[in-house]
Amino acid sequence: MSFTIETWGRFACFTRPEFSVERYSYEVITPSAARSLFEAIYWHPGMRWVIDRIMVCNPIRFESITRNEVIETMNLKEVDKALKRGQTPPALIVDQKIHTQRSNIVLRDVRYIIQAHIELDSDRPKNLTERKITEIFYRRLLKGQTHHSPYFGIREYCANIKYCSGIPEVPKELMGVKDLGQMLYDRNYSNPERPAPIFFHAVMKNGVIDVPYIRIAQKGAKA
Amino acid sequence: MIRSLVRFYDSLLDSGKVRFGYSHPNIDTLISIDKDGHIVNIIFTGTPSETGKGMDYLKHEMPAKATRGSNTKAQFLWDNPEYMLGLVAVKMEIKDETTDKTIKVKRMTPGKIQKFNATKELHQRLLRNIDIPAAKALYAFFDEYSPEKAASDPTLAENKTLLQARHISFRFADDGLNIFDYPEILELWTEEFAHTLENGPKMQCLVTGKIEHIPLTHDKMTKLFTSKHSSAASLGQGASLISFDKNAFKSYGFDQNENAPIGARSAFKYVAALNYMIGNETYHKLIGDRLNVLFWTSTGNDNYQKIIRAQIFNDVPITPEISAAMDRLLRGLPVKEMDLDPNTEFCIAGLTPNSGRNALKFFLKNTFGDFLKNVNEHYERLRIDTIVEQQPYLPIWRILRETTFEKDPHAAANPRLEEQILSAVLNNTPYPAALMNNVSIRIRAGSTEDRISPSQAAIIKAYYLKRPKSEFPQEILTVSLNPNSDNVAYNLGRLFAVYAELQRRAIGAKTVAARYYNSASNMPAGTFPTLHKLAQAYLNKLENTPRTKGGAVYLDRLIADIKDRLPENYPKHLTRTQANAFDLGYYHQHNDLFVKYSNAKDAKNDAAENGDEKENQNG
């Protein structure tokens, strides 16, 4: 049973792992980010979304933005200590010294149609059936209900999702075969401490990317 | 982009221009040793550079630089003084025996011994079984030499060349050849290098997709150029492109470059490719004060570069051969003589040096033909009528110049603007809004005597052609004056130009243009009544003088025609866009009048010379 959604937004950034410091986006949405869109609409332990196909509807446009960002992460030890002492833990990083400018190269005005299917784990709860999931999913999609705000790679770049009512014409720029090289498929969570990235060879034919099936352990689902 | 770089490097390998595992560093010091490994001489290789900037050093194919952070790793055949000789140059204060004062001297003193030991181990291991005198000499050198002994020997410790040495190698005194001139010795590195690639955890490489050893750090690039430092003979340490040093950059518990898994071979190749290009004029150009633009194809043919340089950067003269080639390529045809195919993939990357890490500003990949087409369309948009002898192409630096105060020769344009304009040109996307804003400000500030220079008008036209606005329709975005438009702002600009011309002819002054331009283009309803009165006065003067009567009639008719196209009431206020339309209208009309006037003047002079006394219609 195939699920299809249409999603669009003003900005998107699917960061390449090698350029995650000065962020540089992939040309198209990664299966990993696509999965997060489906999961935003509906997810339950025991099921997993697997992306089958990505269709690109808008020409690929990049734009460069420079932002101020912090270079340190939260110090968990400090948080622990504060909690143990009964104090409020430090919640914000406001130190000027650890700010820096980072340039981001992001996508502009994206629109995708994404197809996926569901797989159920063997140790799922007994009453979780595909039929049930389908009905819940479409009900929530039509109502606009989500578990969290859907986003395109970076939380600030909100994604709009709707029921796909038709496949538009492929824009001229996307016609032909475009080799996108190795693209991030997802991360392998079989070792949750160190989820290694998995890549696949992405080829876009007339705006369509057929995503190969790679069976990996997802977060919350076993391989 | 990494993939394109690796492919480029592979093409360099195929054509024999590079060897895998080798690079071309600058060597500034040679230590000459005899057959027993004794130091005979220390030679400085620097010669003043032809370009006048800095020095040129000895450049030769050498084993590649080792990737070092805080770890110790030896290099083969060349290195810095601490690794090669175990010595560092240190400033110290010693007591002068004769005068009993403390003086500051610089001396070579022993550095971290493990670095020298690593170098010694590497060289002796590789040279052990090589049976040529030079190799034996170098082996003996490492046997005999000790940093402590050298530090206490004043000929070495205070040697001026050694004190400023950055990259040291060796020369064999007995035959005057450098140690790396011996292929048998240089090739020893190939196998050793292959071993070094087998280090690191194994992960899927994001370039090849295969499971490979992943080095945790990548080589550093050669220093990128800035306006202060643009010498190809660089000895300094560069920065990395891909590195994860701060906590915020790491994810999922991965350390360093595990966050960006790239296989060892690809990692070497992409940095080597970048380093091959930096400093090499064929591939590298500095734009502004820090944008380093690198451009390459995946083939080895550098004719592509010549053409792009001629077209965009205008620093290669456009020979008839190049011009003909561009014609063919724009039509989608290959050029056999220069081995060019418009479908070849062409890559352009913009990098800026940043604190500690080089930033990728943009990366464009397209067919060569498409790039040429985009740049050509850009020039087409800029084409505008002008009296002034114009280059066939308005170069980008000239466009940027229009955004700064022209009387200040050192004014630098906003570097971000430069990157954005270059991107827009190459990608055929709209020009940045900042461009138009800056040029508008310069126009309002009244930089040129004629208020608008041809370049400024060209920029207005090109900008609005790419960013259609209903207030500025296509019909007036023309190369020459459009006398048939009814666009209000455009015609107001035209009218203003005629009034300015009237003043010029009547009393020879240009104060109308100087004083009233800004208010006319911002608040026409308030300004034009005054201008009408002034114009009428000038017109009367011209009509009452027989010599200028003909011209006055022409201008009077022109004014009537323009006024016909304008509404009864002029707008109280013009928007920014409309003001730009005013600017273009003014420029077109002004230029047109100038053309007619100088043509007529020439004709009149010719007629006078020929003894003809026909009255001219156009004055």
Side-chain angles (χ1 to χ4, degrees):
Chain A
M1 169 73 209
S2 178
F3 295 77
T4 311
I5 57 170
E6 184 171 341
T7 171
W8 71 98
R10 277 187 68 200
F11 290 101
C13 185
F14 309 109
T15 320
R16 290 177 168 272
E18 67 268 24
F19 290 120
S20 62
V21 180
E22 310 278 342
R23 292 201 191 88
Y24 197 124
S25 173
Y26 278 112
E27 288 91 345
V28 297
I29 191 171
T30 57
S32 167
R35 176 174 60 81
S36 85
L37 294 172
F38 280 95
E39 282 178 358
I41 299 175
Y42 181 67
W43 184 80
H44 193 281
M47 67 171 274
R48 65 170 67 209
W49 289 101
V50 180
I51 307 294
D52 297 320
R53 177 179 281 191
I54 296 169
M55 298 189 230
V56 186
C57 306
N58 279 356
I60 298 169
R61 294 253 179 274
F62 285 100
E63 184 162 306
S64 177
I65 303 176
T66 310
R67 304 201 297 188
N68 292 325
E69 298 187 24
V70 293
I71 56 178
E72 286 300 330
T73 49
M74 281 300 287
N75 190 337
L76 293 177
K77 291 206 186 94
E78 293 293 320
V79 176
D80 267 344
K81 267 201 274 186
L83 287 174
K84 285 206 177 91
R85 275 190 245 128
Q87 293 169 339
T88 332
L92 291 175
I93 305 176
V94 289
D95 189 354
Q96 275 294 336
K97 287 193 283 275
I98 56 173
H99 278 61
T100 183
Q101 280 215 330
R102 281 164 80 170
S103 84
N104 301 335
I105 300 186
V106 303
L107 295 169
R108 271 314 299 258
D109 298 321
V110 298
R111 182 179 286 265
Y112 305 107
I113 293 175
I114 311 177
Q115 285 177 344
H117 70 268
I118 299 180
E119 285 182 5
L120 301 167
D121 281 346
S122 47
D123 61 348
R124 70 182 185 282
K126 284 290 179 313
N127 58 356
L128 188 72
T129 64
E130 186 152 337
R131 163 120 182 245
K132 183 171 168 187
I133 296 173
T134 310
E135 293 195 4
I136 298 176
F137 178 84
Y138 279 112
R139 195 181 340 122
R140 289 170 65 88
L141 177 61
L142 292 169
K143 273 202 206 161
Q145 283 176 303
T146 53
H147 291 304
H148 59 79
S149 291
Y151 58 97
F152 282 132
I154 295 187
R155 291 262 158 152
E156 286 100 312
Y157 302 144
C158 295
N160 304 293
I161 313 183
K162 74 171 187 183
Y163 179 76
C164 177
S165 43
I167 300 185
E169 216 180 283
V170 181
K172 213 162 47 101
E173 288 111 321
L174 298 175
M175 292 296 287
V177 176
K178 197 156 179 209
D179 186 342
L180 300 173
Q182 295 286 327
M183 213 166 113
L184 182 74
Y185 176 78
D186 213 325
R187 286 197 180 256
N188 186 348
Y189 284 90
S190 46
N191 177 5
E193 304 283 307
R194 279 171 65 94
I198 305 286
F199 301 94
F200 75 102
H201 187 195
V203 181
M204 185 168 71
K205 298 191 180 119
N206 295 339
V208 177
I209 301 173
D210 284 312
V211 182
Y213 177 69
I214 305 176
R215 181 142 186 106
I216 49 172
Q218 288 188 358
K219 212 173 196 175
K222 290 206 277 285
Chain B
M1 171 170 123
I2 306 291
R3 206 165 50 112
S4 309
L5 286 169
V6 170
R7 274 216 293 266
F8 173 62
Y9 189 80
D10 282 335
S11 82
L12 290 175
L13 276 179
D14 282 339
S15 58
K17 289 196 185 136
V18 292
R19 227 190 322 184
F20 188 64
Y22 293 78
S23 62
H24 294 77
N26 286 299
I27 307 295
D28 64 350
T29 310
L30 289 169
I31 298 185
S32 193
I33 51 176
D34 65 14
K35 63 174 170 35
D36 299 313
H38 300 304
I39 298 178
V40 166
N41 199 2
I42 300 181
I43 308 166
F44 177 63
T45 66
T47 53
S49 164
E50 288 171 346
T51 61
K53 284 190 200 163
M55 301 283 247
D56 273 340
Y57 301 102
L58 187 61
K59 208 165 180 163
H60 195 274
E61 185 180 64
M62 300 284 264
K65 201 147 110 138
T67 317
R68 300 202 268 239
S70 44
N71 54 325
T72 304
K73 202 166 168 198
Q75 267 169 214
F76 188 53
L77 298 184
W78 70 281
D79 214 327
N80 62 35
E82 193 170 12
Y83 270 90
M84 208 44 130
L85 301 172
L87 298 172
V88 275
V90 168
K91 290 197 191 121
M92 47 175 53
E93 293 182 2
I94 57 165
K95 232 179 175 161
D96 187 330
E97 266 95 36
T98 47
T99 59
D100 212 28
K101 281 197 202 135
T102 49
I103 47 175
K104 289 196 184 132
V105 292
K106 215 170 160 193
R107 271 203 147 148
M108 301 302 284
T109 50
K112 293 202 177 80
I113 193 69
Q114 64 263 35
K115 291 189 178 175
F116 173 70
N117 286 339
T119 309
K120 176 174 172 176
E121 187 277 335
L122 176 68
H123 282 81
Q124 295 205 310
R125 177 162 51 89
L126 292 183
L127 294 168
R128 183 161 293 143
N129 299 319
I130 307 299
D131 201 17
I132 49 178
K136 286 190 151 62
L138 193 52
Y139 189 98
F141 167 81
F142 279 107
D143 254 347
E144 211 199 284
Y145 176 87
S146 104
E148 271 89 26
K149 261 203 300 186
S152 50
D153 176 355
T155 56
L156 287 176
E158 289 168 20
N159 181 298
K160 286 214 167 57
T161 310
L162 211 52
L163 283 169
Q164 54 162 17
R166 300 285 283 276
H167 296 159
I168 301 181
S169 188
F170 292 91
R171 170 175 289 188
F172 189 38
D174 288 5
D175 59 8
L177 285 180
N178 296 319
I179 205 79
F180 40 85
D181 288 326
Y182 292 91
E184 312 92 316
I185 299 182
L186 196 56
E187 273 157 15
L188 290 169
W189 175 247
T190 313
E191 202 188 309
E192 178 71 16
F193 182 67
H195 286 316
T196 64
L197 293 178
E198 310 283 313
N199 271 326
K202 275 192 151 179
M203 286 169 76
Q204 190 184 19
C205 167
L206 56 81
V207 177
T208 61
K210 306 197 185 99
I211 309 283
E212 300 186 18
H213 284 287
I214 307 291
L216 290 178
T217 53
H218 296 163
D219 296 331
K220 291 202 164 64
M221 291 163 55
T222 313
K223 248 190 171 159
L224 285 176
F225 286 7
T226 61
S227 49
K228 293 201 193 108
H229 158 86
S230 54
S231 152
S234 157
L235 292 171
Q237 184 76 287
S240 304
L241 181 63
I242 299 179
S243 78
F244 301 84
D245 45 352
K246 298 282 183 283
N247 283 332
F249 305 150
K250 303 184 197 166
S251 302
Y252 302 108
F254 286 112
D255 220 2
Q256 294 188 300
N257 285 26
E258 281 176 342
N259 282 290
I262 299 182
R265 302 188 87 81
S266 304
F268 175 80
K269 284 185 189 175
Y270 91 80
V271 181
L274 287 167
N275 288 340
Y276 183 84
M277 288 194 276
I278 296 173
N280 184 339
E281 258 201 2
T282 321
Y283 302 96
H284 178 207
K285 182 159 175 78
L286 178 68
I287 301 241
D289 67 338
R290 35 208 332 246
L291 180 66
N292 289 265
V293 182
L294 300 174
F295 34 101
W296 71 93
T297 63
S298 46
T299 71
N301 180 4
D302 57 5
N303 279 326
Y304 291 102
Q305 269 85 328
K306 267 205 214 111
I307 296 203
I308 283 274
R309 289 195 85 102
Q311 212 205 16
I312 308 180
F313 303 122
N314 312 109
D315 53 5
V316 167
I318 302 181
T319 64
E321 192 196 5
I322 290 185
S323 185
M326 291 208 288
D327 267 339
R328 278 185 71 89
L329 290 165
L330 284 168
R331 281 184 283 149
L333 302 167
V335 179
K336 284 216 182 65
E337 303 78 41
M338 297 171 84
D339 198 19
L340 297 170
D341 179 359
N343 289 322
T344 311
E345 187 182 83
F346 195 77
C347 303
I348 306 185
L351 295 154
T352 51
N354 233 341
S355 52
R357 180 182 307 103
N358 295 322
L360 177 67
K361 280 298 168 192
F362 61 82
F363 174 63
L364 307 167
K365 195 169 75 150
N366 212 337
T367 64
F368 188 68
D370 273 348
F371 272 130
L372 279 187
K373 200 157 60 87
N374 290 345
V375 179
N376 213 50
E377 280 177 24
H378 158 74
Y379 286 130
E380 264 306 303
R381 287 193 284 272
L382 285 172
R383 248 177 8 109
I384 198 144
D385 250 4
T386 171
I387 282 282
V388 178
E389 183 68 41
Q390 218 184 53
Q391 272 184 317
Y393 300 109
L394 187 69
I396 292 186
W397 67 265
R398 193 81 184 75
I399 295 179
L400 284 162
R401 201 70 187 82
E402 295 297 343
T403 63
T404 61
F405 182 39
E406 82 290 352
K407 292 224 175 67
D408 180 356
H410 296 299
N414 184 346
R416 287 223 62 221
L417 188 58
E418 232 175 322
E419 295 156 19
Q420 289 174 321
I421 293 180
L422 193 61
S423 254
V425 170
L426 292 168
N427 277 333
N428 204 6
T429 52
Y431 302 97
L435 172 64
M436 200 58 245
N437 291 342
N438 279 320
V439 174
S440 276
I441 291 174
R442 299 294 353 136
I443 292 176
R444 302 286 156 255
S447 19
T448 42
E449 203 186 35
D450 293 321
R451 287 319 290 239
I452 307 214
S453 69
S455 314
Q456 287 168 335
I459 293 174
I460 295 177
K461 172 172 167 273
Y463 180 83
Y464 284 103
L465 274 173
K466 258 323 227 188
R467 267 197 210 261
K469 291 250 158 82
S470 56
E471 303 158 311
F472 207 149
Q474 284 275 333
E475 58 170 20
I476 45 175
L477 288 165
T478 50
V479 177
S480 322
L481 172 69
N482 180 352
N484 298 322
S485 166
D486 284 333
N487 182 287
V488 175
Y490 186 77
N491 286 324
L492 284 172
R494 289 182 61 196
L495 192 56
F496 190 89
V498 183
Y499 286 167
E501 178 67 3
L502 272 177
Q503 186 197 33
R504 192 187 68 81
R505 292 196 198 180
I507 57 178
K510 291 191 179 176
T511 53
V512 160
R515 249 185 251 149
Y516 290 99
Y517 192 90
N518 283 348
S519 45
S521 61
N522 275 330
M523 296 162 296
T527 323
F528 271 90
T530 318
L531 293 172
H532 291 324
K533 271 199 267 187
L534 283 172
Q536 201 54 50
Y538 297 136
L539 204 51
N540 287 338
K541 179 163 185 231
L542 289 174
E543 278 173 349
N544 291 332
T545 320
R547 188 174 65 90
T548 55
K549 188 162 179 197
V553 169
Y554 170 74
L555 289 176
D556 200 9
R557 276 202 219 118
L558 188 57
I559 291 175
D561 174 54
I562 299 177
K563 275 193 181 164
D564 244 350
R565 298 173 182 280
L566 287 169
E568 184 81 34
N569 294 317
Y570 296 169
K572 281 222 190 78
H573 176 73
L574 291 181
T575 66
R576 260 291 185 70
T577 311
Q578 288 169 328
N580 287 140
F582 181 101
D583 295 332
L584 195 59
Y586 169 82
Y587 174 80
H588 273 159
Q589 185 69 69
H590 173 82
N591 195 63
D592 187 71
L593 287 170
F594 196 75
V595 170
K596 292 210 163 63
Y597 183 75
S598 49
N599 281 346
K601 208 157 152 208
D602 286 342
K604 200 170 182 182
N605 289 338
D606 289 343
E609 277 166 18
N610 295 338
D612 252 312
E613 280 187 348
K614 250 191 269 188
E615 177 114 69
N616 283 300
Q617 290 301 321
N618 292 337

